[in-house]
Amino acid sequence: MSTVTITGRTDRAQMTIPEHWSAEDIRDEIELLCVLKGKDGVFAPNLVVTLNAHDGSMAEFLSLAVGNIAQTLAEVRFIDITLWNPGGALPGQTPALDGRAVTYTHVSPASGEVLRTTEWLFIENGLAVQATGTTVAPDWMALGPELEQIASSLVLAKDAGSPGAPISTELPEGALDELASGELGAPVESISGIGRTQTFDYSGAWVHASAIALLDEMAEGFKVGRLNADSYRDQLAELESAGLAQGTKLTDTGEYACLHLDEPDASFRISAAGSGGAMYYQAWLYGPTALVTAGTGYHTQVGLQADEAPSRDHVNVRIFPITELAREMASWLGVGPAWPLPALPAGQPAERLEQRWVGNTEIPEGANPVLAALWAQDWFTWELSAQGPDSEIDPVAYLNGGPLGHYRLGSEDGRTWLMPTPSVYLYDQLDDLIAAAIYGRPARLR
């Protein structure tokens, strides 16, 4: 692939972009901007670079960046914060160390589309360098690696900023994640609190499971008439309250919901278990939309969100664009920023985990500090299965360890394995499983 090197507006930075990208100059505060132009009216993937004087630590820079994202963008949901360092350097120059990558989704106020963004951050020569790459959410799997490659090529000129300026390693009081710092061998900031505030959106209608079962039967051709209407009075009232029926007949919205149930392009089921018992999240895709029925998810199960369900047998029903499905699944599952730390011994006897579920919180013998901390969390386990019109995808299973993030669950020879998984990888896996089910291809991320 042919590339070109572009220089910033003030000559303080340069980066390499593929030749099919375009460099632009639109505002004084932007040092570099490149765009992948497409059709008019379609969101153009882009990467923006800004440089600002900064004599503080990476933790302070990260806090400022996260705060600005949350305050200036619409409906932000943070996916992950990871360690990151740029890969390029000018001759005789050493790349900056200890950078961060902040990945999140947000909603375009102009189009209502879900966008996905990563902010690549590092500090060099007394300058806070911020490279912001954005695409519409469905395009990230294809274009994200290219955006990161562009960000990795970013370098500062030798005389940019204050050459040789030291990078502060001081963390603000209360910002240190002691467990992660000990495991990673360097001081890192606490990031797990961000995800714990990202509660799930239960703005849909609460509908009893028996009413959803009736809707499913009606999708298959079952008719409610004068002679049997009284037998389904309660269910019909639930469907009517949700705008899915009027009397014994389905509304247009109800008819459209039935198309999802009767002729789905793909379907998904998350079976989860927490301290509040078993719960489910189901989605059926039809054309450009998803019909979702969601029970109480992670945040409600662990007491971070009020339980709005009228009963344990009610589910929250919504129809929304399929481009939002991975984001909504991740929110229900409690996916958010966390340092992926090995919990050792990683393989535990299956019966030991079963004992933990029934209340035995005694820490396993030989546990490292991470496993000991994980054992004390309010556990939430889940399994996702997916089915397309001509394919069925093997399920994936995880344990949400709260501030410790997610652990992939695997079984072998009577042992259950706990494998730390970066939240950004898990989010990508959700995207991949959705695409695999829709297009009838194997899952690429396992």
Side-chain angles (χ1 to χ4, degrees), residues 42-105:
V42 176
F43 183 88
N46 62 84
L47 188 137
V48 177
V49 177
T50 60
L51 307 176
N52 291 288
H54 182 75
D55 60 2
S57 66
M58 173 52 67
E60 292 169 316
F61 181 18
L62 176 63
S63 179
L64 289 169
V66 168
N68 186 61
I69 292 164
Q71 291 172 13
T72 60
L73 300 177
E75 299 182 45
V76 174
R77 292 185 189 171
F78 290 96
I79 298 170
D80 207 0
I81 296 172
T82 56
L83 300 175
W84 177 83
N85 293 307
L90 293 173
Q93 185 181 40
T94 302
L97 301 176
D98 300 326
R100 299 288 185 271
V102 183
T103 300
Y104 56 94
T105 60

Side-chain angles (χ1 to χ4, degrees), residues 17-315:
I17 63 174
E19 64 177 359
H20 55 281
W21 286 67
S22 302
E24 295 190 3
D25 185 0
I26 60 171
R27 292 197 303 271
D28 288 347
E29 68 270 22
I30 293 176
E31 180 68 20
L32 287 157
L33 168 63
C34 64
V35 178
L36 179 58
K37 293 183 178 179
K39 297 179 181 178
D40 289 342
V42 176
F43 183 88
N46 62 84
L47 188 137
V48 177
V49 177
T50 60
L51 307 176
N52 291 288
H54 182 75
D55 60 2
S57 66
M58 173 52 67
E60 292 169 316
F61 181 18
L62 176 63
S63 179
L64 289 169
V66 168
N68 186 61
I69 292 164
Q71 291 172 13
T72 60
L73 300 177
E75 299 182 45
V76 174
R77 292 185 189 171
F78 290 96
I79 298 170
D80 207 0
I81 296 172
T82 56
L83 300 175
W84 177 83
N85 293 307
L90 293 173
Q93 185 181 40
T94 302
L97 301 176
D98 300 326
R100 299 288 185 271
V102 183
T103 300
Y104 56 94
T105 60
H106 53 114
V107 175
S108 166
S111 66
E113 293 176 290
V114 174
L115 307 179
R116 179 164 165 179
T117 296
T118 293
E119 309 262 1
W120 291 282
L121 315 175
F122 65 93
I123 300 170
E124 187 173 344
N125 293 350
L127 293 173
V129 185
Q130 188 164 354
T132 305
T134 304
T135 72
V136 292
D139 291 348
W140 187 268
M141 292 290 286
L143 294 174
E146 194 164 281
L147 284 165
E148 182 168 8
Q149 186 175 14
I150 295 171
S152 294
S153 74
L154 179 62
V155 292
L156 301 186
K158 289 183 179 181
D159 57 352
S162 304
I167 299 175
S168 172
T169 58
E170 295 293 325
L171 272 71
E173 185 176 353
L176 180 70
D177 185 325
E178 295 186 5
L179 179 61
S181 298
E183 293 297 314
L184 297 173
V188 293
E189 52 282 344
S190 179
I191 59 175
S192 61
I194 298 172
R196 295 172 71 81
T197 65
Q198 298 182 149
T199 52
F200 184 72
D201 178 11
Y202 289 103
S203 60
W206 287 102
V207 180
H208 195 276
S210 62
I212 297 298
L214 175 60
L215 185 67
D216 195 17
E217 289 184 49
M218 295 173 81
E220 295 178 354
F222 178 73
K223 301 293 184 182
V224 179
R226 182 170 53 85
L227 296 178
N228 62 355
D230 196 56
S231 300
Y232 297 99
R233 180 179 54 192
D234 293 342
Q235 293 95 323
L236 288 169
E238 292 266 343
L239 293 177
E240 185 163 343
S241 178
L244 299 171
Q246 186 170 11
T248 61
K249 304 296 183 183
L250 295 174
T251 61
D252 289 345
T253 301
E255 294 280 6
Y256 187 59
C258 282
L259 292 175
H260 293 73
L261 297 171
D262 188 42
E263 304 172 17
D265 298 323
S267 60
F268 305 86
R269 180 182 176 90
I270 301 174
S271 304
S275 55
M279 72 255 10
Y280 304 93
Y281 180 107
Q282 292 182 270
W284 298 265
L285 309 190
Y286 179 80
T289 56
L291 168 68
V292 167
T293 62
T296 52
Y298 169 76
H299 289 87
T300 300
Q301 287 290 312
V302 301
L304 296 171
Q305 182 173 8
D307 190 348
E308 303 173 17
S311 78
R312 295 291 302 168
D313 294 322
H314 278 75
V315 292

Side-chain angles (χ1 to χ4, degrees), residues 322-399:
I322 60 173
T323 53
E324 299 178 20
L325 184 57
R327 168 182 162 96
E328 295 300 312
M329 281 184 175
S331 177
W332 193 83
L333 294 168
V335 177
W339 300 114
L341 307 174
L344 304 174
Q348 293 291 319
E351 61 270 17
R352 188 69 183 83
L353 272 77
E354 292 171 4
Q355 292 170 8
R356 168 63 180 74
W357 268 115
V358 297
N360 180 3
T361 57
E362 180 182 354
I363 297 172
E365 184 177 352
N368 74 342
V370 179
L371 184 60
L374 180 63
W375 223 252
Q377 299 303 316
D378 193 349
W379 282 13
F380 180 89
T381 58
W382 56 271
E383 181 179 274
L384 169 63
S385 56
Q387 188 166 0
D390 302 310
S391 62
E392 187 168 339
I393 297 171
D394 291 338
V396 293
Y398 280 93
L399 162 65

